[in-house]
Amino acid sequence: LIFSRSADGPGIMKELLQTALQQLGTGSGGGNAEFAQGAAAVDDVQAVQQAIESAARQVLEEIKGVG
């Protein structure tokens, strides 16, 4: 998984990654506010998709809160 944003974009990518990995129940990774990457040994494609969609929703909520 890779999460990235511009310097002035919303969200802390390291936190989004850690949340996604927790949802998957496995994996490791790291990064900072602008960029994070990690990997999880998961065979369930639906679970990965759900974790990504959850991260996207979190960022959208932050954008709505800024506007």
Side-chain angles (χ1 to χ4, degrees), residues 14-66:
K14 181 179 179 179
E15 291 177 5
L16 284 176
L17 174 67
Q18 293 303 320
T19 299
L21 293 175
Q22 287 174 356
Q23 288 175 347
L24 295 172
T26 183
S28 64
N32 57 41
E34 294 177 18
F35 180 86
Q37 64 183 358
V42 178
D43 293 332
D44 186 351
V45 174
Q46 260 188 330
V48 174
Q49 183 66 33
Q50 288 173 347
I52 293 169
E53 289 172 357
S54 177
R57 281 191 301 274
Q58 285 181 271
V59 171
L60 287 173
E61 288 300 319
E62 289 188 35
I63 291 170
K64 290 177 185 177
V66 170

Side-chain angles (χ1 to χ4, degrees), residues 3-17:
F3 294 103
S4 181
R5 67 165 173 84
S6 63
D8 61 346
I12 299 173
M13 300 300 103
K14 181 179 179 179
E15 291 177 5
L16 284 176
L17 174 67

